[in-house]
């Protein structure tokens, strides 16, 4: 089928596709209140790609009383125009994601309507700014309600006015009530961006995490040191080089850099769809190996830094300490000190629910992998044991059953799902499988809680679909 001529043509196709695939159409939820205040059927925290995809799936299931919150201004949700410092997405350009397999909603359909089919065919990778524009368009054409500039805080138990359990969510704009909450809060949704303590102790003017806002222009003429050898570490090194840094040194802690990308291997339906159904020992075996390798960096990313003669990569040289001398950061290594004007850590995320505002009130009762599975000694890994152990629908489970039963109504959809589901809470490629699963968990909980009302509705249902002609019925 030829691509639509214009974006307006595409949007007309989308309206028709959504209408044609809207079955079942019947509304099945009733409005609730708590203390006279409205209760959402689902509150989604996080308006990036995962949040809007879940909201779209719920709307398709006639869960319309929903709201998406995001603390960022409109257009700056997620990493794409903030701390994502690569030029292009690292996923294939023909991937499907938030569209949930509706062709007219795919990125390719949007791109071709904007720039033409030949432009898409000639493009190798999706520029990150295009992807950001696509997500904003997607949420508009699907009617996703997003409230920007609102940060969620503590979540606790509440009740609807008719006695059903619900959740109270504190925000900087007042308390919201919802029967279900989905935390689509990205990379640090179950912890924090992590740096070694000795780096954190340096003056803020001398260091940053790769996920922070960095004034790269201020690094012109400076010596910059980057810790880490994953893709984001290389991206930040490239930004410093392109901003005119005098020297950029990247320190790889491993003796051999990771040149294999394990996430390329696992992108097949069997793994993404069924890993969570496998025994714990197999889930641990696969994911501890993959996460133990860490994420690799692609050739284009390496070429970007290697094009600069003032770039140096140090392998097998972790930082072991840091101090300040003469207004510079002195980084201690086993092969001697290294002095830099600025240090950037591309060191990823540490799992710790007690650091997350939404989770603080019950963090000590969230079941972790350390509570459910003890790996063989040769496979033990404290870092991975701190990941949450999630239910099959991405809901939190209790460490001590009965103390906080209401956390079963909080579904988590971020990088912290990796040990339970693989990359199904952070990967665009996994969305078409993962998003319907979490949406089904939400609708199952709503349906189960409403069983008495729905049964009464069924018993009271008396809409006739046929009128009998009494004159044609023989009397006995």
């Amino acid at each position: 089928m030829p691509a639509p001529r214009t974006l307006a043509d595409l949007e007309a196709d989308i309206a028709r596709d959504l209408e044609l695939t809207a079955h079942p159409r019947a509304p099945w939820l009733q409005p609730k209140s708590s203390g006279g205040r409205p209760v959402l059927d689902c509150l989604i925290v996080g308006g990036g790609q995962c949040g809007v995809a879940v909201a779209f799936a719920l709307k398709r299931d006639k869960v319309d009383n929903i709201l998406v919150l995001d603390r960022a201004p409109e257009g700056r949700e997620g990493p794409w125009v903030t701390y994502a410092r690569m030029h292009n997405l690292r996923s294939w350009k023909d991937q499907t994601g938030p569209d949930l397999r509706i062709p007219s909603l795919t990125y390719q359909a949007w791109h071709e309507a904007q720039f033409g089919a030949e432009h898409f065919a000639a493009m190798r990778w999706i520029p990150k700014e295009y992807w950001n524009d696509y997500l904003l368009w997607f949420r508009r054409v699907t009617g996703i309600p997003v409230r920007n500039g609102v940060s969620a805080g503590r979540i606790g138990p509440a009740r609807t006015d008719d006695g059903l359990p619900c959740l109270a969510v504190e925000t900087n704009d007042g308390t919201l009530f919802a029967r279900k909450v989905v935390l689509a809060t990205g990379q640090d949704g179950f912890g924090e961006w992590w740096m070694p303590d000795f780096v954190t102790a340096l003056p803020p003017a001398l260091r940053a995490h790769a996920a922070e806002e960095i004034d790269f222009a201020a690094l012109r003429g400076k010596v910059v040191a980057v810790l880490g050898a994953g893709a984001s570490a290389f991206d930040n090194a490239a930004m410093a080089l392109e901003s005119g840094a005098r020297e950029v040194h990247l320190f790889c802690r491993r003796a051999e850099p990771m040149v294999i990308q394990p996430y390329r291997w696992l992108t097949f339906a069997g793994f993404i769809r069924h890993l969570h159904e496998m025994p714990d020992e197999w889930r641990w075996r696969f994911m501890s190996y993959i996460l133990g390798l860490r994420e690799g960096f692609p050739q284009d990313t390496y070429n970007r830094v290697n094009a600069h003669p003032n770039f140096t990569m140090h392998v097998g040289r972790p930082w072991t300490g840091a101090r300040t001398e003469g207004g510079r950061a002195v980084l201690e290594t086993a092969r001697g000190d290294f002095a830099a004007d600025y240090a950037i850590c591309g060191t990823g995320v540490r799992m710790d629910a007690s650091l997350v505002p939404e989770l603080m009130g019950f963090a000590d009762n969230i079941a972790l992998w350390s509570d459910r599975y003890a790996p063989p000694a040769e496979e033990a890994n404290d870092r991975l044991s701190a990941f949450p152990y999630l239910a099959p629908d991405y809901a939190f489970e209790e460490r001590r059953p009965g103390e906080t039963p209401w956390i079963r109504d909080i579904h988590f959809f971020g990088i912290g799902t990796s040990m339970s589901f693989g990359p199904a809470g952070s990967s665009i490629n996994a969305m078409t499988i993962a998003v319907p699963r979490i949406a089904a968990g939400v609708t199952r909980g709503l349906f189960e809680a409403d069983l008495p009302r729905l049964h009464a509705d069924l018993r009271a249902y008396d809409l006739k679909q046929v009128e009998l002609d009494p004159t044609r019925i023989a009397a006995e």
Side-chain angles (χ1 to χ4, degrees):
M1 176 183 292
R5 292 185 303 277
T6 67
L7 199 60
D9 293 332
L10 177 61
E11 292 179 6
D13 287 347
I14 290 167
R16 176 171 168 77
D17 288 346
L18 294 179
E19 179 66 20
L20 289 173
T21 58
H23 178 80
R25 300 173 183 271
W28 57 281
L29 292 163
Q30 290 185 347
K32 304 287 182 184
S33 60
S34 180
R37 300 176 62 182
V39 175
L40 296 160
D41 288 322
C42 187
L43 175 67
I44 300 163
V45 181
Q49 60 189 20
C50 289
V52 297
V54 171
F56 176 54
L58 291 174
K59 283 174 64 70
R60 300 284 287 160
D61 285 337
K62 298 298 180 283
V63 183
D64 295 312
N65 181 24
I66 62 176
L67 178 65
V68 179
L69 301 182
D70 200 283
R71 62 192 176 193
E74 182 174 352
R76 296 182 67 81
E77 304 87 352
W80 308 114
V81 295
T82 54
Y83 65 86
R85 293 174 177 130
M86 68 282 211
H87 290 154
N88 305 308
L89 271 62
R90 307 193 210 279
S91 303
W92 306 117
K93 69 177 182 180
D94 61 351
Q95 66 193 344
T96 59
D99 54 88
L100 303 185
R101 301 189 191 279
I102 294 179
S104 57
L105 277 170
T106 59
Y107 175 84
Q108 182 173 348
W110 174 84
H111 188 105
E112 290 181 348
Q114 292 276 73
F115 309 109
E118 291 183 0
H119 189 278
F120 182 82
M123 181 180 71
R124 287 189 63 210
W125 305 99
I126 300 174
K128 62 187 178 75
E129 292 81 8
Y130 284 7
W131 183 254
N132 195 62
D133 291 344
Y134 162 73
L135 292 173
L136 292 170
W137 169 82
F138 177 91
R139 93 183 199 194
R140 176 178 64 80
V141 297
T142 55
I144 304 301
V146 180
R147 188 179 298 170
N148 287 96
V150 180
S151 300
R154 285 177 180 259
I155 303 173
R159 289 272 170 182
T160 65
D161 291 334
D162 58 356
L164 290 178
C166 67
L167 299 163
V169 183
E170 298 176 5
T171 80
N172 62 336
D173 194 34
T175 300
L176 295 173
F177 296 89
R179 297 178 65 186
K180 287 281 191 175
V181 170
V182 174
L183 297 177
T185 41
Q187 297 275 346
D188 55 341
F190 199 79
E192 66 173 354
W193 295 106
W194 173 81
M195 296 188 292
D197 290 342
F198 55 80
V199 178
T200 304
L202 292 171
L206 295 180
R207 49 82 178 159
H209 192 280
E212 293 183 69
E213 185 173 333
I214 297 174
D215 182 1
F216 283 96
L219 301 182
R220 175 176 292 277
K222 303 292 181 66
V223 175
V224 178
V226 180
L227 178 63
S232 64
F234 276 94
D235 290 337
N236 279 265
M239 285 290 292
L241 289 162
E242 292 161 0
S243 299
R246 177 160 57 90
E247 298 175 18
V248 175
H249 296 257
L250 185 141
F251 292 78
C252 175
R253 289 167 285 183
R254 296 168 181 266
E256 296 184 9
M258 172 56 59
V259 296
I260 297 169
Q261 173 53 287
Y263 289 96
R264 292 284 187 223
W265 175 86
L266 58 77
T267 306
F268 58 94
F271 191 94
I272 296 171
R273 189 181 301 279
H274 300 296
L275 178 70
H276 77 285
E277 300 169 338
M278 299 300 106
D280 285 351
E281 58 265 32
W282 278 109
R283 291 201 282 174
W284 181 274
R285 194 170 295 167
F286 274 104
M287 291 313 301
S288 64
Y289 177 78
I290 290 167
L291 294 175
L293 292 176
R294 302 297 180 96
E295 187 173 358
F297 53 93
Q299 186 68 50
D300 285 358
T301 302
Y302 180 66
N303 292 347
R304 187 179 169 195
V305 296
N306 214 37
H308 295 266
N310 52 338
F311 171 75
T312 303
M313 183 177 183
H314 305 257
V315 297
R317 194 178 178 186
W319 300 350
T320 57
R323 64 185 188 275
T324 58
E325 284 185 6
R328 306 182 82 199
V330 178
L331 306 165
E332 300 166 10
T333 81
R335 301 210 299 268
D337 293 348
F338 183 89
D341 299 301
Y342 200 74
I344 301 173
C345 287
T347 43
V349 174
R350 173 172 57 188
M351 298 295 133
D352 186 347
S354 69
L355 302 174
V356 179
E358 299 95 324
L359 309 180
M360 286 179 177
F362 56 94
D364 67 332
N365 203 36
I366 296 175
L368 307 179
W369 268 82
S370 59
D371 301 310
R372 296 290 195 266
Y373 179 67
E378 64 273 15
E379 296 179 7
N381 187 312
D382 290 342
R383 179 175 69 90
L384 304 183
S385 291
F387 277 67
Y389 188 97
L390 299 168
D393 59 359
Y394 292 81
F396 288 124
E397 292 192 353
E398 292 183 277
R399 174 181 288 165
R400 298 177 297 277
E403 288 189 13
T404 55
W406 44 274
I407 70 173
R408 191 66 181 78
D409 287 321
I410 305 173
H411 302 257
F412 182 65
F413 200 45
I415 197 74
T417 64
S418 298
M419 287 303 298
S420 296
F421 291 91
S426 59
S427 168
I428 298 169
N429 295 321
M431 278 188 186
T432 55
I433 292 173
V435 168
R437 183 187 298 136
I438 193 170
V442 171
T443 55
R444 182 192 183 281
L446 294 171
F447 175 74
E448 183 177 29
D450 278 1
L451 286 175
R453 175 186 64 81
L454 292 168
H455 183 255
D457 286 351
L458 171 62
R459 296 293 297 269
Y461 183 78
D462 60 359
L463 183 63
K464 295 180 180 180
Q465 69 171 358
V466 63
E467 288 289 341
L468 301 177
D469 182 353
T471 68
R472 304 298 299 272
I473 299 175
E476 298 295 335

